[in-house]
Amino acid sequence: MADDIKSGRFVHGFHAVAAKLRHDADSVLEIFIAAGRHDARARDLVERAETANVRIIPTDAQRLDGMAGTHRHQGVVARVSAQRKEVRLDDVLDTLTENALLLVLDGVQDPHNLGACLRVADAAGAHAVIAPKDRAVGLNATAIKVASGAADTVPYVSVTNLARSLREMQEAGVWCVGAAGESEKSLYQIDQKVPLAWVLGAEGDGLRRLTRETCDELAQIPMLGSVESLNVSVASGICLFEARRQRSGA
């Protein structure tokens, strides 16, 4: 297993491995699956792997535990390339089979917040997290660790010019909504069943002027207590899960 560790890194669990096959199959070197597991979920993963020409290795539980460490592996671990593929916005938009749900982060500089935002995006089923290359933390080791696997399941798109990327989304039919406390419109008044990108600003500073002006509209999270703002990952969760609530018809 030492050779495995040197030549790649591990992704654990059915959701994470299936997402890696879907978004970046070329990086998946091999998949270890619990020997004797032939349920529907395992069969579906094996079929995906075979389509992508990825080797499947039946493995005992002890070895899977060793690969996963403290992570819950659900009986499946993939060894993937240590080199992360750069994801483009077009790659994400072109592969969607449902209305887009995107999270755009304008200048988040705390890696713990970025990691937490990735976890929230994964939980809400967001299709990608988009952030600028400059004046932002980027997907560093701390952010990846805090993301607890979500860095492998949610495409992270790093863009040179955020305002231009927002316009590209708009041209593709995505409605861009900026979270802004001063807006008179509540996020609950926004139709989030359409292709949508939630745009959230950095800690303390909020959205930059050009980002704010490029958004199609602004909306605020109603604040009923004494605090004036929320952590960006908490705000992201509120916005994204409201979109999911509306889309489920609840």
Side-chain angles (χ1 to χ4, degrees):
M1 190 163 61
D3 290 339
D4 293 340
I5 294 173
K6 289 179 181 177
S7 57
R9 57 192 177 84
F10 293 121
V11 174
H12 325 91
F14 278 95
H15 178 72
V17 174
K20 201 66 177 171
L21 282 171
R22 186 168 60 251
H23 296 298
D24 189 14
D26 291 343
S27 73
V28 183
L29 305 176
E30 53 197 358
I31 296 174
F32 302 86
I33 193 164
R37 180 156 185 174
H38 304 295
D39 57 273
R41 200 174 191 188
R43 290 197 303 270
D44 179 67
L45 186 69
V46 169
E47 184 177 329
R48 286 175 181 266
E50 290 175 345
T51 300
N53 294 316
V54 175
R55 183 166 64 128
I56 293 286
I57 303 173
T59 307
D60 63 75
Q62 185 175 0
R63 191 179 187 206
L64 289 172
D65 290 343
M67 293 175 183
T70 59
H71 296 279
R72 184 183 177 202
H73 57 71
Q74 301 174 304
V76 60
V77 175
R79 186 168 66 88
V80 303
S81 171
Q83 185 69 36
R84 290 181 180 272
K85 176 184 176 182
E86 183 173 341
V87 182
R88 299 184 309 167
L89 182 58
D90 288 345
D91 296 333
V92 174
L93 296 177
D94 290 346
T95 59
L96 294 183
T97 57
E98 63 174 345
N99 283 347
L101 180 58
L102 308 171
L103 176 61
V104 180
L105 301 175
D106 184 19
V108 171
Q109 300 192 35
D110 185 333
H112 294 86
N113 280 341
L114 175 58
C117 285
L118 284 164
R119 291 183 68 179
V120 165
D122 173 83
H127 300 114
V129 172
I130 299 101
K133 292 181 179 178
D134 297 329
R135 299 179 62 184
V137 63
L139 198 58
N140 64 20
T142 300
I144 291 170
K145 181 178 181 181
V146 173
S148 298
D152 287 306
T153 60
V154 181
Y156 180 80
V157 183
S158 182
V159 300
T160 303
N161 186 306
L162 186 59
R164 183 170 62 217
S165 296
L166 289 173
R167 288 191 288 270
E168 290 175 4
M169 293 180 218
Q170 291 164 334
E171 291 170 2
V174 177
W175 191 251
C176 297
V177 182
E182 71 275 13
S183 172
E184 294 183 359
K185 180 177 285 190
S186 161
L187 83 159
Y188 302 116
Q189 297 172 294
I190 303 292
D191 179 5
Q192 301 194 44
K193 297 183 291 293
V194 302
L196 182 77
W198 268 107
V199 188
L200 281 80
E203 308 85 4
D205 297 330
L207 298 174
R208 289 178 292 174
R209 180 187 59 80
L210 184 56
T211 303
R212 183 188 305 263
E213 293 174 354
T214 307
C215 289
D216 292 297
E217 64 180 327
L218 302 176
Q220 49 103 345
I221 298 172
M223 304 288 287
L224 305 180
S226 58
V227 298
E228 296 182 357
S229 63
L230 295 170
N231 175 276
V232 65
S233 64
V234 174
S236 297
I238 292 171
C239 296
L240 293 175
F241 275 100
E242 171 59 14
R244 281 299 171 197
R245 185 195 66 79
Q246 290 189 21
R247 294 177 185 205
S248 70

